[in-house]
Amino acid sequence: MHLYEPFGWISLIVALVAIWGMARSFKKRQFFPLAFAAVTVLVFGFFGVATLIYGGIPS
């Protein structure tokens, strides 16, 4: 694992903030921001975990 990659950590922090945004959007019944935050969680969460595991682009 490559835990020293700053992009991986920043991506995971963005995904966590988007999870918080999903909770707020769901509470206010606003579905467009909910969908946007869900896509953000999927994309940034995937790239964050993949970066921390593989250390960037897998060979």
Side-chain angles (χ1 to χ4, degrees):
M1 295 190 69
H2 302 275
L3 297 178
Y4 55 86
E5 294 287 337
F7 178 73
W9 292 110
I10 292 171
S11 295
L12 288 179
I13 290 170
V14 169
L16 288 174
V17 171
I19 289 172
W20 177 62
M22 282 178 59
R24 287 184 52 137
S25 297
F26 186 74
K27 189 170 98 172
K28 293 182 179 183
R29 303 282 188 215
Q30 297 175 340
F31 295 108
F32 182 73
L34 179 67
F36 189 80
V39 170
T40 303
V41 168
L42 290 175
V43 171
F44 279 90
F46 171 76
F47 281 113
V49 170
T51 300
L52 291 177
I53 290 175
Y54 295 111
I57 300 172
S59 57

